[in-house]
Amino acid sequence: MQDNPMAGWAVAAVLMLAAAVVAGLVEYCTTWTREQQERNPVGYLGWLIRDLESDLESLRTVRGRIQRELQRVCEEQQRIEQRCRVAASAAVELREQHQGGQNRVLALGQMWTRDQLESQVSSLLAEIRAGESALGHIECCRDSMEAELERLTTQETEIQAGLRLLAAQRELSQSRHAGGVSLDQLSQQVQTLLSNS
């Protein structure tokens, strides 16, 4: 039996249609309509709180990852700075010995010829330039990471404030649910309470 290319397309089309139906069903089952919100404000507020708590947990995970990466970046920055200081100190000592005019000198614990001194100083200067370039890149990364941490911290604070507001709304809704208070009225009451405190 030969493979029918049209059959493969038909199967793919059916699978895509089924996926779209499932996605639509999931969205329908997890999205609150305005009418559902009005009928069950306590349930809706509970759903919002769980959703925000999930977002907060995800945000904290991302913040933790960025903080750990920032710590590694800071450690690498310190390591490169130390390496540049050592290279600069060695270059100064070798250059001073080179300027002495002797054919062979003892520097940095070993004997050097003038050519070796010149070569080593050039190598150390190249290492310092590479280190300075790396430090510039690290500083840029560090600034970006610190700005992102600040943004995430602000976002976390806002989510926590939102959670407190939703918790207050849910409590008010639970206590007034029997009285038939709408979600809009409830929100206005919470805002009034918060502005008075």
Side-chain angles (χ1 to χ4, degrees):
M1 183 168 139
Q2 294 181 341
D3 288 329
N4 182 351
M6 293 305 285
W9 285 104
V11 169
V14 169
L15 289 176
M16 288 176 25
L17 178 63
V21 168
V22 168
L25 185 60
V26 166
E27 183 178 347
Y28 175 77
C29 291
T30 59
T31 303
W32 286 72
T33 65
R34 188 70 181 158
E35 182 182 314
Q36 289 170 325
Q37 293 171 19
E38 290 295 327
R39 266 190 286 130
N40 185 4
V42 175
Y44 175 65
L45 291 169
W47 175 78
L48 284 176
I49 288 170
R50 286 188 300 278
D51 195 42
L52 269 180
E53 286 172 342
S54 174
D55 289 349
L56 185 60
E57 187 60 36
S58 297
L59 184 133
R60 286 178 175 159
T61 300
V62 170
R63 262 187 85 227
R65 248 186 268 137
I66 291 174
Q67 284 175 323
R68 287 188 296 277
E69 191 59 33
L70 180 60
Q71 179 64 34
R72 282 193 284 273
V73 165
C74 290
E75 289 168 1
E76 180 66 10
Q77 181 179 13
Q78 291 172 351
R79 189 182 66 74
I80 291 172
E81 287 171 346
Q82 176 63 24
R83 212 170 69 215
C84 284
R85 281 192 295 273
V86 168
S89 175
V92 167
E93 183 178 336
L94 291 175
R95 186 172 276 162
E96 287 173 356
Q97 292 297 334
H98 183 267
Q99 291 173 349
Q102 300 171 354
N103 287 336
R104 293 184 63 80
V105 293
L106 176 64
L108 302 176
Q110 68 184 59
M111 291 299 292
W112 302 82
T113 65
R114 289 185 61 75
D115 290 340
Q116 289 173 327
L117 284 174
E118 284 179 25
S119 175
Q120 189 62 27
V121 167
S122 293
S123 176
L124 288 169
L125 292 176
E127 181 180 341
I128 292 167
R129 281 191 297 275
E132 288 171 347
S133 175
L135 285 172
H137 177 70
I138 285 174
E139 189 65 35
C140 182
C141 290
R142 184 176 172 177
D143 289 346
S144 295
M145 294 170 94
E146 287 171 347
E148 182 64 10
L149 277 175
E150 187 175 322
R151 186 189 72 77
L152 290 173
T153 300
T154 300
Q155 193 174 0
E156 181 177 356
T157 302
E158 290 170 355
I159 289 174
Q160 289 170 337
L163 282 170
R164 286 190 299 273
L165 177 65
L166 289 173
Q169 284 181 328
R170 186 174 61 183
E171 273 189 44
L172 210 59
S173 180
Q174 286 172 336
S175 67
R176 301 216 174 152
H177 184 63
V181 177
S182 74
L183 195 58
D184 288 333
Q185 293 169 331
L186 184 62
S187 183
Q188 290 172 358
Q189 291 173 356
V190 169
Q191 291 299 331
T192 302
L193 284 173
L194 291 176
S195 64
N196 290 338
S197 53

